[in-house]
Each structure stands twice: as structure tokens, then as C-alpha cells.
Amino acid sequence: MALERPRGTRDFPPEEMRRRDYAEGVVSSVFKSFGYGKVLSPAFEHTELFRRKSGEEISEHMYVFEDKGKRSLCLRPEETASVCRMFVQDLRSRQLPLKLYYHCPMYRYEEPQKGRYREFWQTGVELIGSSRPESDAEVVMMACEALLKLGLEYTLNISHIGVLRGLLSEVGLDEVGQDKAISGIDKKGADGVGDLKGGDALRSILRLEGGAQAMKEAMRMLEGHEKPLTALEELRKVSVLLDSGKADYRVKLGMARGLEYYTGMIFEVRVAGLGAQDQVCGGGRYDNLIELFGGPKTPAVGFAFGFDRLLEAMEQQGACFPEKDLDVYVACASDAVRPDAQRIASDLRRGLEGRSVELELLGRKLGKALEHASNLKARYAVIVGPDELKNESVTLRNMDSGEQRMVRITDLAKLID
Ligand code: HAM
């Protein structure tokens, strides 16, 4: 039986990798423009790292295995815990705030469907060391900037997990109970509240959605509820900064996240047309995680794009991807000149740094070779022939116009724009 790839994983042919590399380049150049530096952590970690605070949702879906030394390890299901571990282990003496980004595969044993894979990529950032609303606003603005550069239309929802936690503690739930209720709300929205005592007020707050008016309305509704109101006030400060950055957002207090480590502002980005898996980005503030991993109490905020979903959204919305462009195709008029063609192609690659030069490799006759060059969308063909070689020359053909002329080999690189 032929071997197949594991369920929930994909192979990426060159055309797709070209699109992915392009999108990754766009997003990471936005991150770099805000001063973020790229990091990479191991693909597997001690299972304990993700069990501590990522939450049931993630824990249930981890790829856990025992190594030969009987250690329990798991493939990383997300990167925030790894980055915090890295910070505690190696980076804690760095100047703060520390601005990090990553682009790497994650592994979750979920039921595969469109937009949901067992191996998927996240491109994300973690801003470590600032508790100020400016840093919440910065990461949200960074996500918006990346989406704009990718040419995507989207909906940005913001909230503060403290509103939910505050209200849930008022109806008598301890942290574990809150985690459970939040997980229910994450899955079912306001209906996830179930039959909690005092649940009606909670449900109406959670159903509140909209712009500045929704924020005002929530302020009014939460009057006298100290904890949730303090959280909402923090969110209001972030929203003022987002207004001045001209970010288009909606306040959605019913939003919850599957991850349990969030302590402050949370946000998500959704894109229409992706079906059930329409969330292309999720993030928020997590001020306790670094301490939980044995580091000093250090506030942090970040987000991750579901990179595969970004690509799907780009395709769905007809985004422009750069075409593959082959700059030069080197063909031979006869077999005798093949060693010369090889040398000319090598010299051209050196002379035309950063551009692509392909050499004919199947022994095709000239006509077929030029047809192939045209299929590859080569901009130029260099035809190496025995007569021209006697004059240290080759034929340079512009593949768009079909024009061709004899040029000296030493001038070749200069003539290719
Ligand atoms: P998350 O919400 O679990 O957050 O995942 C972030 C994004 O990864 C989701 O919005 C979604 O686009 C994508 N994603 C999740 N699961 C899958 C899957 N099975 N297949 C395809 N895409 C998927 C986190 O992981 C946090 N670490 C984000 C964060 C960073 N918070 C603070 N800093």
C-alpha cells in the first residue's frame, strides 16, 4: 500500500510555498517595522509547560509522547508558553520591553476540516515587560497593519477577560468555575452561561456588541460592579488609543478565549467567507504566565495569526500574489556547447545576484527548450550556439517581444534588466 501523509497534515507544492513565503514576508516585515526580533523554540517541550495554564481546550488536543528517557513531552500546540519559558530560561536579563515574533508549525489533535489542521502554522508576537495600554494597543495595531498589507478585509473584536471573570466571581464562581464557564462561553457565546444564578444580567452584558456606544452602554450597565467595571475602564483606555490609531474595532464583551492564561484585554480577528473556522487571529494580555513558569512577575501581551487561514482568506478575497518570475533561461543550440552553457549560466547567477537563472537540463532541442522557457514565463532566453561562441557571443532573446540579438558574453549581465 502506498504511504500517505498523516491526517490533518498537508504537503505544500512550490506554487503554494511561493504564496506562503510571500505572505510570511509581508507579515514579518510589519513586525520588524515595530522593532520585533524573530525567535524559534523547539518543536517539542515538556508536557507540563502547556498543562500549567493553557487550559483544558489545549490540553485535550495535545500530541503527548514519552521519550526513551521516560520524560513526558509534547509537540507544541501554541507558542506563548514556549516564549515565556524561553524568557525565564535565557532572556530575563534583557532590556524591557522585549519584543519577539515567531513563525512556526503548531500541533493540535483536532478533527480536521477546512481551516482546521493537526499541523498548522502560527505567525505571532509577544511583547514582554509592559503593562501599559499602549502595549495592548500596539499589538492590536500591528495585527491590523499586517492585515492591511495583505489586502484583507476583516472584523476586529476586542474585550477584557476581567469583565467576564469579575461578573462570574460575583455570581459566586471561583477561578476553576470561571475557567469552565469561560470555556462554555467561548464555545456557545452568551448561551454558554447556562443556568447560573444571576445569569440574566451576565447574559445581557455578554450580548452587548458594537462601537463607542456599546462601550458607553456597558459602562452604564456595570455601574456598581467594581471588578468588571475596573476591567472595562482598562479596555476603554486601550480603545481610545485604537481610535487615535484609526483602528476599526467592535467591543464584544461576550468574547471568551479557549486559553486560560489571559488576564486583561483580549481580541480576535474574523474574516468573512471562511466558514466555521473564520478566526484568523487571537490574542490578549497575560500578566501571570511568566511568574507561573518561575520568572519574576512580568506583564506581557501578544497574539498569533493562524497563518493557514490568512492564506485561505487571501485566496478567498482575490488578493494579489506575486507571480513566479524566472529571469533567464539558458538553452543550447547543440549538445557540443553544453559545457559552455553551464559556465555561462553560473557566471550569470553570480553577475545577476538575487535573480534566477535556469539551465536546460533535459537535452531538449532548441525549439522545445524555448517552448519550455515560455511555459516557465522566463523573461529572457540565452541561446548558446557554436557559431556565436566563436565570437565570444550568445543570442539574447526577449521572451515577451520575441526580439533577439547577438551580444557579447561579457555584456550579458548588463543587458538583463
Ligand atoms: P489561539 O486562539 O489558540 O491562540 O490560536 C491563534 C490562531 O491560530 C487562531 O485564531 C486560529 O487562526 C489559529 N488556529 C488555531 N488552531 C488551529 C488549527 N487547528 N488549524 C488552523 N489554525 C488554527 C494562541 O495560540 C495564543 N498563543 C495566541 C497568543 C499569543 N496570545 C498571546 N500571545
Side-chain angles (χ1 to χ4, degrees):
M1 195 185 79
L3 284 177
E4 289 185 4
R5 60 176 174 259
R7 207 162 121 71
T9 66
R10 289 152 300 157
D11 296 309
F12 300 103
E15 313 75 72
E16 222 167 311
M17 282 312 293
R18 199 164 56 239
R19 291 173 167 224
R20 291 173 74 88
D21 284 350
Y22 164 73
E24 184 198 339
V26 170
V27 176
S28 44
S29 69
V30 169
F31 294 169
K32 283 186 221 161
S33 76
F34 280 77
Y36 287 64
K38 191 171 186 179
V39 290
L40 183 63
S41 67
F44 55 87
E45 297 267 5
H46 293 291
T47 309
E48 168 70 8
L49 183 74
F50 300 105
R51 290 246 193 266
R52 275 204 196 165
K53 200 66 196 168
S54 296
E56 216 174 281
E57 174 78 15
I58 292 259
S59 271
E60 275 174 10
H61 296 128
M62 291 194 315
Y63 275 89
V64 179
F65 59 97
E66 201 173 73
D67 73 0
K68 290 185 177 171
K70 302 255 177 272
R71 297 169 198 93
S72 176
L73 300 172
C74 85
L75 297 181
R76 60 173 171 235
E78 63 114 26
E79 189 60 14
T80 308
S82 295
V83 169
C84 290
R85 197 251 325 119
M86 188 191 302
F87 175 76
V88 174
Q89 198 165 354
D90 296 323
L91 306 177
R92 61 205 286 178
S93 57
R94 302 280 173 113
Q95 286 272 314
L96 297 179
L98 193 56
K99 301 170 168 188
L100 308 172
Y101 80 91
Y102 47 85
H103 172 82
C104 46
M106 307 294 158
Y107 302 87
R108 296 185 192 176
Y109 192 82
E110 293 183 292
E111 206 37 52
Q113 52 176 273
K114 186 175 175 295
R116 179 187 279 173
Y117 309 99
R118 290 184 174 170
E119 181 188 53
F120 62 98
W121 271 252
Q122 281 188 349
T123 313
V125 301
E126 310 298 344
L127 168 50
I128 299 176
S130 167
S131 60
R132 296 188 60 90
E134 289 87 336
S135 48
D136 296 71
E138 172 162 307
V139 298
V140 177
M141 294 300 300
M142 241 186 338
C144 295
E145 187 65 21
L147 292 160
L148 182 80
K149 290 265 159 66
L150 292 173
L152 286 175
E153 283 184 26
Y154 60 89
T155 308
L156 163 66
N157 296 318
I158 61 168
S159 185
H160 191 302
I161 198 69
V163 174
L164 254 180
R165 286 203 180 274
L167 286 168
L168 290 169
S169 81
E170 281 182 7
V171 297
L173 294 185
D174 61 5
E175 206 178 315
V176 177
Q178 290 170 26
D179 289 344
K180 244 198 170 109
I182 289 172
S183 160
I185 293 167
D186 184 35
K187 288 187 191 115
K188 298 193 203 143
D191 295 335
V193 171
D195 51 7
L196 276 181
K197 204 154 62 79
D200 284 348
L202 186 61
R203 262 189 289 273
S204 51
I205 280 281
L206 295 186
R207 290 218 170 92
L208 210 63
E209 265 186 59
Q213 193 52 38
M215 179 68 89
K216 265 197 202 139
E217 182 68 7
M219 285 279 181
R220 193 190 56 72
M221 285 163 87
L222 287 177
E223 229 165 84
H225 299 261
E226 198 194 325
K227 276 194 199 155
L229 194 61
T230 309
L232 192 64
E233 178 52 31
E234 279 180 28
L235 184 65
R236 197 193 57 77
K237 285 186 190 148
V238 179
S239 74
V240 169
L241 295 165
L242 292 178
D243 287 338
S244 62
K246 300 207 164 29
D248 194 8
Y249 62 87
R250 289 169 63 78
V251 177
K252 187 177 177 189
L253 297 177
M255 180 174 49
R257 316 255 351 121
L259 290 154
E260 283 174 10
Y261 48 60
Y262 294 119
T263 55
M265 181 273 310
I266 49 175
F267 72 104
E268 62 176 19
V269 176
R270 292 184 184 267
V271 167
L274 288 189
Q277 307 306 321
D278 64 345
Q279 196 194 109
V280 298
C281 175
R285 169 164 291 284
Y286 52 96
D287 285 348
N288 298 335
L289 201 56
I290 290 173
E291 197 180 15
L292 190 82
F293 293 159
K297 183 153 179 58
T298 312
V301 58
F303 70 82
F305 282 121
F307 184 71
D308 310 274
R309 293 182 190 174
L310 281 185
L311 263 291
E312 278 152 29
M314 287 171 77
E315 262 150 49
Q316 178 88 21
Q317 295 188 10
C320 290
F321 288 100
E323 285 291 317
K324 178 192 179 193
D325 58 7
L326 173 61
D327 294 297
V328 185
Y329 186 81
V330 180
C332 302
S334 76
D335 275 346
V337 299
R338 288 196 173 269
D340 300 279
Q342 187 105 36
R343 170 179 51 83
I344 290 166
S346 300
D347 289 348
L348 265 182
R349 285 189 195 104
R350 269 178 223 130
L352 293 171
E353 217 182 297
R355 276 175 278 170
S356 49
V357 179
E358 267 193 48
L359 178 64
E360 200 291 311
L361 290 176
L362 286 188
R364 290 177 171 98
K365 294 261 182 295
L366 186 57
K368 288 277 176 216
L370 290 178
E371 213 176 291
H372 183 57
S374 160
N375 291 340
L376 291 174
K377 299 200 175 68
R379 291 166 53 234
Y380 290 95
V382 167
I383 303 163
V384 184
D387 295 340
E388 292 84 348
L389 272 181
K390 283 183 200 140
N391 297 320
E392 286 294 310
S393 299
V394 289
T395 302
L396 178 64
R397 181 184 173 95
N398 180 319
M399 294 297 290
D400 280 336
S401 63
E403 256 175 69
Q404 57 181 54
R405 58 186 166 135
M406 207 162 88
V407 302
R408 293 192 64 78
I409 295 170
T410 45
D411 293 338
L412 204 47
K414 271 186 280 176
L415 293 169
I416 289 165
D417 49 54

